[in-house]
Amino acid sequence: MFYHQIAALLLENGADVNARNIYGQTALMQACRFGHWEVVQTLLVFRCNVSKVDSLSSRTALHLAAAGGHVKCARLLLAGAGGNKLVNRAASGGVTALHLAALHGHADCVHLLIDERADVAAPTLPCAASPMASIGAGSTPLHYAAAGGEVKCCQILVSRGADRTAVNCNGWLPVDVARTWGCHWLEHVLSPKSHLPIPKFPPSAYLSSPLASLLTIARDCGLVLNTTPPEVLDDDGGDACAVCLERPCTVAAEVCGHELCVKCALDLCSVIKSYDVPGIAGTIPCPLCRSGIASFRRRAADEDEPDVNAGGGRRRGAGGDHQASSSPEKKRSTDSDQEILPLFFTPPAVLS
């Protein structure tokens, strides 16, 4: 059994999704720290609080994901946050997620955070707390990128408007920080007098427009965790998901209209890189026709035929009754439910 299956099982049986350990860290923070994106996905569907901070340094789950370079976790968090307040949330010392991603040289995270409106000019507080003591208080993300030594991080920041002449509380420019940390190869990027062109970067490949709509659907109708035998789908007249072939279709892509189960749709939008299409940043390629998907909706059959029981264990689908999805607010109660074992299945071909 995988970690996300265990998390779903515990949450279905009453575990507190926002429970903290002795350091004030939630399960979401731990999942982001170690890059377990499927656990993050499950916790978001069960309505965890993405804004909580720990007791050590007031860091959010996004800080931990950015520090570790776990861009899949970061894209899920930003989709579940429902706004840009989380991206600029400062921890102790005024450090933002962008500072940490830049310091550790995680270019993909830097790119995603900036595209999600992270402030490239945000200074840390004028105090000498670690790790600011060796970088300088009042430093911008570009100062931190200079200490990290990653050329691409510095290029992305400069191309998006970071000021190479910004001075921190030590009187250091970003190029001075690079020299202090022995990163002399950054001088051609960071020097205010440099005439070398800075490359232009397209929107981040980890933007994901459909994720927000999918999380809303999964929270409302439940994340389908159980598989349904093909013969049961055939007998009931239901349509099997074209990706996993084991769960009933529950969502449809806008524009092309192809239908998938909500779990496969979430996995696609969490893992697959987005199309580089001007004006439609963040669209995900449909696995069936390769057209860009900007959002998902509940399939028409499910919208036309509402739940039979408001809080019960069965939901009407296309052509008949199917087992209810594993909802964050519902438990399995029928004997037939117990006969279907929880099984996650994500084809490797989808995640390549």
Side-chain angles (χ1 to χ4, degrees):
M1 183 175 284
F2 297 104
Y3 292 130
H4 60 285
Q5 292 175 289
I6 298 173
L9 181 63
L10 292 171
L11 291 167
E12 285 178 345
N13 286 276
D16 182 2
V17 72
N18 293 313
R20 296 174 181 268
N21 62 16
I22 59 173
Y23 304 109
Q25 297 170 331
T26 63
L28 182 66
M29 295 176 194
Q30 288 293 307
C32 289
R33 177 185 175 191
F34 294 104
H36 298 310
W37 64 268
E38 285 187 287
V39 177
V40 174
Q41 188 186 89
T42 302
L43 294 168
L44 288 173
V45 171
F46 280 81
R47 301 178 187 275
C48 66
N49 188 336
V50 299
S51 299
K52 286 187 175 294
V53 299
D54 63 25
S55 304
L56 298 174
S57 55
S58 298
R59 293 185 179 183
T60 65
L62 184 60
H63 284 93
L64 297 173
H70 304 303
V71 67
K72 295 173 187 175
C73 295
R75 80 194 301 191
L76 280 161
L77 292 170
L78 293 168
N84 64 345
K85 292 182 179 179
L86 181 67
V87 73
N88 288 313
R89 182 77 174 267
S92 297
V95 176
T96 66
L98 184 57
H99 282 95
L100 295 175
L103 174 63
H104 295 286
H106 302 308
D108 284 336
C109 278
V110 169
H111 199 174
L112 174 63
L113 292 168
I114 293 175
D115 281 348
E116 291 284 0
R117 301 182 182 179
D119 185 2
V120 298
T124 55
L125 296 180
C127 58
S130 179
M132 288 183 294
S134 53
I135 299 175
S139 293
T140 66
L142 189 57
H143 287 89
Y144 274 63
E150 175 63 43
V151 173
K152 190 174 181 180
C153 287
C154 295
Q155 289 177 329
I156 294 171
L157 286 162
V158 172
S159 70
R160 296 303 175 87
D163 186 4
R164 289 183 283 193
T165 64
V167 178
N168 64 17
C169 294
N170 289 356
W172 294 345
L173 297 169
V175 69
D176 297 324
V177 174
R179 291 166 183 160
T180 300
W181 284 65
C183 303
H184 301 288
W185 56 88
L186 295 177
E187 292 199 23
H188 71 285
V189 179
L190 299 177
S191 175
K193 298 180 180 180
S194 175
H195 297 291
L196 290 178
I198 299 296
K200 300 295 183 182
F201 292 89
S204 169
Y206 289 94
L207 285 171
S208 187
S209 299
L211 261 179
S213 61
L214 272 173
L215 285 171
T216 300
I217 294 170
R219 286 167 173 171
D220 291 342
C221 70
L223 180 62
V224 179
L225 307 183
N226 293 339
T227 58
T228 303
E231 60 270 17
V232 174
L233 288 173
D234 294 339
D235 293 342
D236 289 348
D239 296 324
C241 171
V243 176
C244 69
L245 303 177
E246 295 189 2
R247 286 183 288 267
C249 293
T250 48
V251 296
E254 296 288 0
V255 183
C256 70
H258 285 124
E259 298 178 349
L260 305 170
C261 71
V262 69
K263 182 65 174 71
C264 286
L266 275 171
D267 288 350
L268 284 167
C269 296
S270 301
V271 177
I272 299 298
K273 292 184 178 181
S274 61
Y275 273 156
D276 178 13
V277 181
I280 321 177
T283 57
I284 302 297
C286 174
L288 304 178
C289 67
R290 311 306 293 174
S291 61
I293 301 172
S295 65
F296 279 90
R297 55 176 171 77
R298 292 188 65 173
R299 67 195 300 255
D302 293 338
E303 291 176 345
D304 295 340
E305 300 184 24
D307 293 353
V308 176
N309 299 319
R314 288 183 179 270
R315 176 173 58 80
R316 289 193 65 84
D321 291 345
H322 295 300
Q323 295 299 326
S325 60
S326 299
S327 170
E329 301 173 357
K330 302 175 186 177
K331 296 182 180 179
R332 302 185 185 89
S333 57
T334 63
D335 293 335
S336 59
D337 287 331
Q338 300 299 330
E339 296 174 0
I340 303 177
L341 299 177
L343 176 63
F344 288 72
F345 178 80
T346 306
V350 175
L351 303 184
S352 60

